[in-house]
Amino acid sequence: MATKSICFYFQVHQPDRLRQYRFFDIGNDYNYCDDFTNKVIMRRVAQKCYLPVNALLLDMIKKNSKKFKVAFSISGVAVDQFKRYAPEVLDSFKALAATGCVEFLAETYAHSLASVANEAEFKQQVKDHSKLIESTFGVKPVTFRNTELIYSDAIGATVASMGYTTMLTEGAKHILGWKSPNFVYTNAINPRLRLLLKNSAMSDDIAFRFSNRSWDGWPLTAEKYAGWVDSALQNEDTLNLFMDYETFGEHQSAESGIFDFLKALPAALLAKGFTFNTPAEVAKMHQPVAPLHVPDPISWADEERDLSAWLGNELQNEAFHKVYALGNKVKRTKNEDLINTYRMLQESDHFYYMCTKFFSDGAVHSYFNPYDTPYEAFINYMNVLSDFELRVDACLKNNNKK
Amino acid sequence: MFGWEFPPHISGGLGTACYGMTKGLAHNDVDVLFVMPSASGDEDQSDISIINASDVETADTLMSIDEFLGKVEFLRVGSNIMPYVDPEDYTKLTSEERLMQTEEFKYHFHNKYKFSGKYGKNLMEEVVRYSMVGGTLALQNNFDVIHAHDWLTYLAGIAAKRVSGKPLVIHVHATEYDRTGENVNTQVYAIEQMGMREADKVITVSDWTRNIVINKYGIDPEKVVTVHNAVDFSNRETLVAKRGVPEKTVTFLGRITFQKGPEYFIEAAYKVLQKNDNVRFVMAGSGDLLNRSIRRVAQLGIADKFHFTGFLRGADVQKMFALSDVYVMPSVSEPFGISPLEAMQSNVPTIISKQSGVAEVLKYAIKVDFWDIDGLADAIYGLVTYPAIAKMAGEKGYDEVNSLKWDHAAAKIKDVYQAAMNLK
């Protein structure tokens, strides 16, 4: 039997939530972030997820004599938050890196939507993130994953031109049609870029349905899941299980048994002859079956699997256009502080909070949202952006005087 | 005097007006017993006495329930319209209902009712209960005239009049037509009209409102007297706020509702921003058109120059005026409109709609039709671009607004009281 791969990739990201920033603060106060909330949430998720699951994964890698492998994509802003609020988490990721069984992926530094806004800004953020990951974990990323798995033919071509050979995206039904996500595909413009597609159904069995008692798959055991994998990969090459890392311990609580499930999974799958591979390995091991045509951007979010969670209404579009219109001005300041703040303002989460799709995916949206309404999110963001623009203008004026 | 709110806990201009008016009346040697549904105890009682309706046990031993109900029969809430019954059944059914209501009233008799004093879901119930308190208080106190402010208190005023036989003056600060345009709530309209008909004199806060009372409610013009509101700035300290933005600031401050014309402000802002980038717009307040306004601003692509503050209270309102270079009140229908006066008192040049009562007393405010977006944009542009006109409007407006004294207005109200008493 040819090798059949199981490919785990976990997303690690924490946004910089803004504090309540009022009109009266514009021009008077440039502290934008709610440091307290950010710290509290980071500490909480570190205790419930990052620290225990990192320890668990380290243990699993050792116990299965390095046959268990995973990949992480950690946003630059999350790394910055670890440094600030939970340095021990960063140490535990370094310990995982040292096993050689963990691949770290490249993404945009600020978990931003730059790929659909501005190519130069996008490339710069990817470079900066790559540098950060290399300096932190000692390995230069070769696989790319874009914010929220956003992908299109054009984005893929840009990523390929930067030297990446593999990219992850969503196995969106409206793109695949009858095709299976369980093969390696290539970019439609540059066939050297290999694409790994998320198997949504089997990823969501773990990420969303695991603790749902009204789901007919409940309770999910490692053996049951291995059986499903077996039938899914009868004639196919790879099963790509992509999910938020916070699935373990945060979205699915420890009491749901998710840790025990994870712990038992390697043995159950290895027993059936599957191998665990990182994305870079999967892309090398398996022959691509076809180019994948994605003219319009897709993502892993919501039922639509498109950009509508971030750019779906007039509030989001206005905020998005206004922030990216500042790009050149910010660059000209050559002011590191302003450039960093500009990155923070690009975090996709700010736009996510302005989403008005309350009905179908509202539960997930409100879970992640610090604001009561999308309108408040918009007002607050625009106030911050207005102050930021004033500071940029003032800095440029100063530069001109010198 | 029956009111619904009184500073410091207020949600609109009514409480502020009542405060200034009662002070002015005190200076004109009128003793005021001010009744409100829910007093907090921190109200300024230096010139008046406040009765908290929530502390009053309804009705009194002086009168039997049936006698009391006989005089204030409108308190019997319930529908008398019953289709498809013959007259005999009708009489039977209505008398049953009467009995039931008497029983129900007995239950509330000698009970205190905890009013919220807000404008919530049980508003109608509170209005009716408040009128029971009104009737009760009329039996317990000595007074010459009953004065009731706006429809929420008209029933209380009527109850007091029927029980005591004293003359009733109702004071119209706003009508249902101002609040909702043509889509009036008929229940509110009916109460308003009943109050106006039952009153011996009707005071309106402007000729704009007087016309509505006469034309839309069909009230005898003889009975309706305009007494323009005034303002009391005696306790106000000049507030210095630190300016954060270099641009000129143009402010809308009020409830973001149909009545206040927020959309005209937004459209005018868009026009001004096409010509002059050195200006920011602020919409301060909250209301049912807030979200729509935010969406419109986003659609127009001016959200980096157009800010929303949400509802402002106390010192923040002062701060907002202190930070403003132009104040705009584009109301579609405004019985009076106190906020432009507050702006002018802060030296802020002011633009008001011609459809506002305050336009009748101000010479040094720029007046435009609420629907005239071009005119409004012109006026804003002029005030933010040409310092000379802004300076003049600011200074003259300040003098003008300081000449509007509650003592003068209260003297006119006292005359109305006298006239109402002479009718008897």
Side-chain angles (χ1 to χ4, degrees):
Chain A
M1 164 178 125
T3 317
K4 295 192 184 285
S5 303
I6 308 292
C7 178
F8 266 117
Y9 135 69
F10 302 126
Q11 178 61 35
V12 180
H13 170 61
Q14 285 298 329
D16 292 300
R17 296 158 197 89
L18 300 173
R19 71 177 181 88
Q20 190 193 32
Y21 194 88
R22 308 180 62 203
F23 169 74
F24 300 114
D25 296 323
I26 300 173
N28 293 324
D29 191 336
Y30 52 83
N31 293 311
Y32 302 148
C33 289
D34 186 346
D35 294 333
F36 179 76
T37 299
N38 290 330
K39 180 176 177 174
V40 166
I41 292 178
M42 176 52 92
R43 296 296 318 172
R44 186 190 75 209
V45 182
Q47 292 308 321
K48 288 172 81 173
C49 166
Y50 302 143
L51 289 171
V53 187
N54 277 2
L56 179 63
L57 292 182
L58 191 64
D59 191 48
M60 286 160 70
I61 289 169
K62 282 181 186 156
K63 284 218 171 104
N64 293 289
S65 41
K66 300 207 172 186
K67 281 184 185 151
F68 180 66
K69 294 176 181 181
V70 296
F72 285 105
S73 189
I74 311 178
S75 71
V77 290
V79 172
D80 289 342
Q81 279 204 28
F82 287 136
K83 287 178 183 168
R84 242 176 291 150
Y85 304 130
E88 67 275 27
V89 172
L90 212 50
D91 292 337
S92 66
F93 274 116
K94 284 178 188 168
L96 282 171
T99 63
C101 295
V102 177
E103 183 182 354
F104 289 90
L105 312 183
E107 63 168 288
T108 55
Y109 197 99
H111 198 263
S112 72
L113 303 172
S115 60
V116 290
N118 184 310
E119 190 176 315
E121 176 70 28
F122 172 66
K123 284 182 170 175
Q124 189 58 48
Q125 282 194 25
V126 175
K127 268 183 208 153
D128 291 346
H129 179 261
S130 173
K131 249 187 250 167
L132 176 77
I133 294 303
E134 190 178 356
S135 68
T136 311
F137 302 112
V139 191
K140 191 176 157 72
V142 295
T143 303
F144 185 78
R145 85 102 221 183
N146 198 11
T147 306
E148 312 285 349
L149 297 190
I150 291 170
Y151 176 82
S152 69
D153 294 340
I155 295 170
T158 306
V159 169
S161 76
M162 296 174 74
Y164 293 97
T165 51
T166 310
M167 182 165 172
L168 314 186
T169 187
E170 170 71 25
K173 276 201 195 91
H174 69 277
I175 295 298
L176 283 173
W178 55 268
K179 297 195 281 290
S180 162
N182 304 337
F183 291 104
V184 176
Y185 291 83
T186 66
N187 177 256
I189 299 170
N190 185 339
R192 290 170 54 170
L193 183 77
R194 303 196 164 194
L195 299 177
L196 305 191
L197 308 184
K198 175 186 159 195
N199 184 313
S200 282
M202 298 211 57
S203 300
D204 292 350
D205 286 339
I206 300 174
F208 293 117
R209 288 182 280 271
F210 183 81
S211 60
N212 180 358
R213 286 172 187 242
S214 55
W215 172 44
D216 56 13
W218 189 89
L220 185 58
T221 62
E223 285 69 31
K224 193 194 271 185
Y225 194 75
W228 294 352
V229 174
D230 209 19
S231 50
L233 289 189
Q234 277 304 315
N235 300 304
E236 300 171 20
D237 293 339
T238 175
L239 180 69
N240 299 321
L241 300 172
F242 300 168
M243 61 198 76
D244 282 334
Y245 197 33
E246 294 81 14
T247 295
F248 304 97
E250 178 76 8
H251 307 333
Q252 307 293 342
S253 69
E255 293 75 31
S256 71
I258 191 86
F259 290 168
D260 298 323
F261 170 80
L262 186 61
K263 201 169 164 182
L265 205 51
L269 287 167
L270 289 169
K272 290 198 183 280
F274 298 109
T275 64
F276 288 93
N277 294 110
T278 66
E281 291 173 351
V282 173
K284 269 188 203 146
M285 286 163 58
H286 301 284
Q287 187 63 29
V289 290
L292 194 70
H293 292 273
V294 186
D296 297 314
I298 55 170
S299 82
W300 74 357
D302 299 348
E303 270 306 299
E304 297 88 341
R305 301 288 198 267
D306 61 9
L307 300 187
S308 58
W310 305 276
L311 298 171
N313 65 34
E314 55 265 75
L315 307 181
Q316 296 170 314
N317 292 337
E318 165 78 346
F320 178 80
H321 286 128
K322 286 282 143 72
V323 73
Y324 280 101
L326 292 180
N328 285 332
K329 271 210 266 188
V330 176
K331 235 181 233 162
R332 278 192 286 130
T333 64
K334 300 200 168 61
N335 178 312
E336 201 186 334
D337 188 32
L338 288 176
I339 290 169
N340 287 337
T341 305
Y342 187 55
R343 289 266 165 91
M344 183 276 287
L345 290 173
Q346 289 180 50
E347 290 171 20
S348 62
D349 309 80
H350 301 309
F351 305 99
Y352 193 76
Y353 302 147
M354 301 172 199
C355 181
T356 41
K357 294 194 292 179
F358 285 120
F359 303 110
S360 54
D361 297 288
V364 185
H365 282 260
S366 61
Y367 178 85
F368 290 106
N369 198 333
Y371 298 97
D372 288 338
T373 71
Y375 297 97
E376 286 170 43
F378 175 73
I379 290 168
N380 210 48
Y381 182 83
M382 291 310 296
N383 283 346
V384 168
L385 193 65
S386 295
D387 181 78
F388 178 72
E389 187 174 6
L390 289 176
R391 283 169 62 204
V392 169
D393 289 340
C395 182
L396 287 174
K397 228 183 201 173
N398 251 330
N399 290 356
N400 286 341
K401 270 184 207 155
K402 287 174 200 162
Chain B
M1 184 179 286
F2 293 103
W4 198 256
E5 53 174 45
F6 200 76
H9 305 284
I10 55 169
S11 72
L14 183 59
T16 317
C18 285
Y19 179 68
M21 191 185 308
T22 52
K23 267 191 148 11
L25 285 168
H27 296 167
N28 281 284
D29 302 317
V30 177
D31 291 331
V32 178
L33 200 57
F34 189 85
V35 188
M36 60 190 291
S38 179
S40 310
D42 52 355
E43 289 83 6
D44 175 9
Q45 300 203 33
S46 55
D47 290 310
I48 57 165
S49 320
I50 286 180
I51 297 177
N52 184 357
S54 299
D55 293 341
V56 176
E57 285 182 18
T58 40
D60 197 64
T61 44
L62 290 175
M63 221 182 243
S64 77
I65 295 171
D66 279 333
E67 198 184 344
F68 186 89
L69 280 179
K71 291 208 170 172
V72 290
E73 59 189 335
F74 61 86
L75 288 183
R76 301 171 187 271
V77 207
S79 169
N80 285 333
I81 302 168
M82 286 173 224
Y84 315 122
V85 288
D86 59 51
E88 255 174 63
D89 284 346
Y90 179 83
T91 317
K92 199 171 145 229
L93 281 169
T94 46
S95 57
E96 268 172 18
E97 199 188 344
R98 267 173 190 253
L99 200 70
M100 234 167 62
Q101 282 180 351
T102 311
E103 285 304 308
E104 205 221 37
F105 199 82
K106 268 183 195 153
Y107 176 76
H108 290 293
F109 237 42
H110 297 289
N111 274 326
K112 292 174 187 172
Y113 179 78
K114 182 77 195 109
F115 291 93
S116 73
K118 300 273 173 10
Y119 303 88
K121 259 190 290 190
N122 295 328
L123 191 56
M124 273 301 168
E125 188 190 343
E126 295 211 357
V127 164
V128 172
R129 298 248 181 273
Y130 189 54
S131 65
M132 293 186 189
V133 173
T136 307
L137 288 171
L139 292 172
Q140 293 170 339
N141 294 280
N142 282 321
F143 52 90
D144 301 307
V145 183
I146 306 152
H147 189 164
H149 294 281
D150 268 3
W151 73 271
L152 296 160
T153 75
Y154 290 171
L155 293 185
I158 297 168
K161 175 179 173 172
R162 295 213 183 151
V163 170
S164 69
K166 296 286 165 58
L168 169 66
V169 174
I170 66 142
H171 203 132
V172 185
H173 296 260
T175 67
E176 188 62 9
Y177 283 94
D178 304 306
R179 287 182 290 264
T180 58
E182 293 294 322
N183 308 314
V184 296
N185 176 331
T186 50
Q187 210 179 355
V188 173
Y189 176 86
I191 292 176
E192 288 184 328
Q193 194 177 43
M194 182 176 178
M196 293 170 191
R197 283 183 178 161
E198 194 109 357
D200 299 280
K201 285 281 177 188
V202 176
I203 298 177
T204 55
V205 294
S206 63
D207 291 334
W208 170 260
T209 304
R210 186 169 179 267
N211 279 333
I212 293 175
V213 168
I214 293 167
N215 295 324
K216 305 267 188 188
Y217 293 84
I219 303 302
D220 176 11
E222 287 286 304
K223 215 162 94 170
V224 192
V225 188
T226 296
V227 178
H228 287 111
N229 278 342
V231 269
D232 177 13
F233 295 121
S234 55
N235 293 328
R236 181 159 303 179
E237 295 159 33
T238 332
L239 192 134
V240 185
K242 190 167 168 254
R243 262 189 110 89
V245 295
E247 296 93 347
K248 300 278 184 193
T249 303
V250 182
T251 305
F252 169 107
L253 195 154
R255 280 177 292 113
I256 302 175
T257 58
F258 160 82
Q259 185 195 348
K260 303 292 180 182
E263 65 259 51
Y264 306 102
F265 182 68
I266 295 170
E267 301 302 325
Y270 176 72
K271 294 208 166 191
V272 173
L273 283 167
Q274 305 307 302
K275 301 278 182 204
N276 186 341
D277 199 32
N278 187 34
V279 50
R280 269 180 208 275
F281 292 83
V282 179
M283 185 168 275
S286 181
D288 58 357
L289 292 187
L290 173 61
N291 290 349
R292 203 170 91 179
S293 300
I294 295 169
R295 283 204 305 275
R296 183 64 185 148
V297 165
Q299 272 167 6
L300 291 170
I302 54 173
D304 53 339
K305 294 281 190 178
F306 196 115
H307 305 275
F308 294 86
T309 67
F311 183 74
L312 297 182
R313 57 186 81 235
D316 279 345
V317 175
Q318 298 311 311
K319 206 164 158 188
M320 196 63 245
F321 283 126
L323 293 171
S324 300
D325 296 290
V326 176
Y327 179 80
V328 182
M329 185 185 75
S331 296
V332 171
S333 178
E334 187 71 66
F336 192 74
I338 281 281
S339 62
L341 303 180
E342 297 187 53
M344 291 164 83
Q345 209 270 338
S346 306
N347 269 310
V348 182
T350 298
I351 304 168
I352 55 179
S353 73
K354 290 179 184 169
Q355 289 69 28
S356 67
V358 73
E360 295 162 19
V361 297
L362 291 178
K363 279 203 283 292
Y364 292 99
I366 297 179
K367 297 164 200 171
V368 295
D369 286 306
F370 73 85
W371 43 261
D372 186 4
I373 293 161
D374 289 331
L376 179 55
D378 269 352
I380 294 171
Y381 183 83
L383 286 172
V384 297
T385 318
Y386 311 120
I389 182 177
K391 187 163 178 286
M392 191 187 87
E395 285 171 1
K396 297 280 189 187
Y398 180 80
D399 294 339
E400 185 170 39
V401 77
N402 282 314
S403 68
L404 301 173
K405 298 274 188 235
W406 269 117
D407 287 1
H408 305 321
K412 286 185 197 159
I413 292 172
K414 194 180 175 185
D415 292 343
V416 177
Y417 290 166
Q418 204 63 56
M421 285 156 69
N422 292 343
L423 287 175
K424 288 276 150 178

